[in-house]
Amino acid sequence: IRSCELVIGTLGAAIEGGGPQAVGATKRMIRDAAPGHPARQAAFTRMRALSDHHFQSVEAAEGMAAFAEKRPPSWSRSADAT
């Protein structure tokens, strides 16, 4: 149980530190792609398009720059509305 709590805590911290727009889009993709969801196949098609879109966003550029510069991302600088 302790190892599960550690994994969940680690994943939660990683998600919490992610770009707000990307986190929201990821949550929608996971929900829509769940087994048994009526729009599951369409969700996989949308996943690809959303992934391409978000990786080209200002938010993604800030995340990659922060990683390369070994600093925390500044999500307030990435105000593109997607």
Side-chain angles (χ1 to χ4, degrees), residues 51-74:
S51 181
D52 290 347
H53 171 76
H54 283 285
F55 272 99
Q56 296 173 24
S57 70
V58 171
E59 188 175 273
E62 168 58 16
M64 289 183 267
F67 180 81
E69 296 166 10
K70 298 181 178 17
R71 62 170 173 80
S74 177

